[in-house]
């Protein structure tokens, strides 16, 4: 909440990727929102995003995520958040300015403003599409991490390669063969003289996690073990190249904000939208297939977060002016 009194919520079902994107946008706007998480139960969850909210989560219900006062700005993401966002819009008498991140599947009228990746089909006068998603890897955070390098990483030899490892998801599977192939390519990269700076996910299979630990140990690299401060931004800031697994749009988008060559490893499975996304990044010379060696050249960092934040700030200003409310006191210029 800013001194100007602007209130904001981030509303999701708690999915990490959705919540991270919403918090990234709030952060870019200079806001510290309340985090509200919905937990609808069957049969209402089955009907989302088209159906009503779970009545057990209405305002006044025990542990309701919709306890008033309703905010000036609501940023929602995830299909289960859609009915709740619409509910708040009505319950606030239209006062709350609603933002939805990604395609709500219920059309552009779902929210006052919608951001969606360009590979989604939704379009409308209130819809902004960009190639990469909003995230917290801002130029300022990268610059600060370079100015004050993490001592766990600063002593590593160059070239330094950040290795962002995900895991099995709804569309991707890290089978034993995928794990072995990926580890072998990282072995070749480390053997060529590159220092690996590795971070894994809770979804990373144990066999792959063990192989990563062995690689870091034998080649003098770094593997974050979950202890101490998360070095994610520091890894990106100090990297001469980034290797990322293709199971997360967010990780690929964050890596593209660095301006260094981006090498992508694709496990089994896949999705049409991911193919369109990666192909667009390849066309810009940003993404290359990871084959166990460094390739590619630096490029202009790709960061859509300021564009999304600016569009929201302008839309909120128009909304409040139309209602005769005080100015929101949000920035309209973003780095």
């Amino acid at each position: 909440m800013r001194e100007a009194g602007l209130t904001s919520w981030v509303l999701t079902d708690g999915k990490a990727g959705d919540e991270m994107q919403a918090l990234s946008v709030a952060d870019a706007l200079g806001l510290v929102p309340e985090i509200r998480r919905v937990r609808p139960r069957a049969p209402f969850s089955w009907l989302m995003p088209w159906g009503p909210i779970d009545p057990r989560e209405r305002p006044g219900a025990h542990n309701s995520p919709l306890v008033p006062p309703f905010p000036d700005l609501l940023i929602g993401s995830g299909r289960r958040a859609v009915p709740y966002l619409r509910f708040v819009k009505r319950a606030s008498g239209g006062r709350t300015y609603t933002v939805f991140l990604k395609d709500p599947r219920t059309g552009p009228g779902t929210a006052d403003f919608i951001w969606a990746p360009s590979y989604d089909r939704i379009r409308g006068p209130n819809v902004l599409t960009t190639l990469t998603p909003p995230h917290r890897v801002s130029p300022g955070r990268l610059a600060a991490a370079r100015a004050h390098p993490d001592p766990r990483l600063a002593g590593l030899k160059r070239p330094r390669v950040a290795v962002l490892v995900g895991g099995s998801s709804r569309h991707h599977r890290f089978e034993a063969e995928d794990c072995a192939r990926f580890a072998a390519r990282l072995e070749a990269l480390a053997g060529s003289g590159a220092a690996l700076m590795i971070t894994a996910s809770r979804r990373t299979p144990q066999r792959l996690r063990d192989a990563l630990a062995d690689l870091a140990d034998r080649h003098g690299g770094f593997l974050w073990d979950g202890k101490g401060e998360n070095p994610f931004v520091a890894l990106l800031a100090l990297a001469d190249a980034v290797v990322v697994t293709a199971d997360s749009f967010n990780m690929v988008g964050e890596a593209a904000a660095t301006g260094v060559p981006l090498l992508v490893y694709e496990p089994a499975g896949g999705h049409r939208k991911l193919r369109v996304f990666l192909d667009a990044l390849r066309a810009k010379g940003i993404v290359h297939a990871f084959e166990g060696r460094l390739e590619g050249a630096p490029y202009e960092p790709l960061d859509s977060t300021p564009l999304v934040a600016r569009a929201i700030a302008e839309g909120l200003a128009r909304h409040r002016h139309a209602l005769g409310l005080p100015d929101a006191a949000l920035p309209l210029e973003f780095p």
Side-chain angles (χ1 to χ4, degrees):
M1 184 185 302
R2 294 171 61 86
E3 291 183 0
L6 191 74
T7 59
S8 57
W9 290 2
V10 158
L11 183 73
T12 73
D13 66 0
K15 184 179 178 182
D18 291 339
E19 191 165 283
M20 183 279 293
Q21 286 184 355
L23 288 170
S24 299
V25 170
D27 187 55
L29 289 167
L31 298 170
V32 181
E34 293 184 38
I35 297 175
R36 302 290 183 105
R37 294 178 180 139
V38 303
R39 295 181 174 84
R41 289 172 285 183
F44 300 95
S45 60
W46 300 342
L47 303 174
M48 293 179 178
W50 298 277
I53 70 169
D54 185 336
R56 292 163 291 195
E57 293 194 307
R58 285 181 174 274
H62 179 63
N63 289 331
S64 169
L66 302 182
V67 175
F70 298 119
D72 299 302
L73 172 65
L74 186 156
I75 305 172
S77 187
R79 69 178 180 85
R80 292 181 180 87
V82 171
Y84 294 82
L85 177 146
R86 292 189 307 230
F87 182 95
V88 170
K89 184 68 177 180
R90 291 192 301 269
S92 70
R95 185 180 182 280
T96 297
Y97 186 75
T98 54
V99 171
F100 195 82
L101 304 182
K102 298 190 294 192
D103 186 350
R105 307 183 196 179
T106 49
T110 299
D112 294 306
F113 172 83
I114 294 172
W115 166 82
S118 54
Y119 49 77
D120 276 342
R121 295 179 179 177
I122 186 169
R123 296 292 186 272
N126 63 324
V127 177
L128 173 68
T129 63
T130 62
L131 178 55
T132 56
H135 52 69
R136 279 180 155 174
V137 185
S138 66
R141 295 187 73 192
L142 289 171
R146 291 176 184 129
H148 304 283
D150 190 315
R152 296 170 291 179
L153 307 172
L156 295 177
K157 62 185 178 181
R158 302 187 75 167
R160 294 185 290 241
V161 180
V163 182
L164 315 181
V165 185
S168 296
S169 64
R170 186 162 53 130
H171 299 295
H172 292 89
R173 302 179 305 280
F174 277 77
E175 308 288 2
E177 183 179 350
D178 293 302
C179 295
R181 184 184 302 114
F182 184 45
R185 293 180 185 179
L186 289 174
E187 178 76 43
L189 184 58
S192 72
L196 306 184
M197 307 180 294
I198 309 168
T199 181
S201 162
R202 288 173 294 181
R203 297 181 290 109
T204 304
Q206 189 61 47
R207 65 166 66 87
L208 180 54
R209 189 181 293 274
D210 292 341
L212 296 172
D214 179 62
L215 271 168
D217 184 60
R218 288 188 293 104
H219 291 281
F222 170 83
L223 171 66
W224 186 48
D225 59 5
K227 299 177 182 176
E229 184 179 356
N230 188 332
F232 185 79
V233 173
L235 264 66
L236 294 177
L238 299 180
D240 298 297
V242 179
V243 172
V244 59
T245 57
D247 52 283
S248 168
F249 290 95
N250 285 338
M251 282 200 309
V252 175
E254 289 162 339
T258 63
V260 302
L262 180 52
L263 309 170
V264 175
Y265 177 78
E266 298 185 49
H271 190 275
R272 181 193 64 81
K273 291 182 179 180
L274 177 70
R275 174 59 45 212
V276 173
F277 177 54
L278 293 179
D279 284 348
L281 290 172
R282 285 192 182 94
K284 292 179 175 290
I286 295 174
V287 157
H288 309 270
F290 177 50
E291 302 290 349
R293 60 183 179 274
L294 295 180
E295 52 186 301
Y299 51 88
E300 187 67 25
L302 193 60
D303 183 8
S304 67
T305 311
L307 298 176
V308 179
R310 183 181 301 113
I312 292 171
E314 291 173 349
L316 178 59
R318 290 191 299 269
H319 173 76
R320 293 179 67 82
H321 179 74
L323 294 179
L325 297 171
D327 291 342
L330 290 176
L332 294 179
E333 295 297 328
F334 298 85

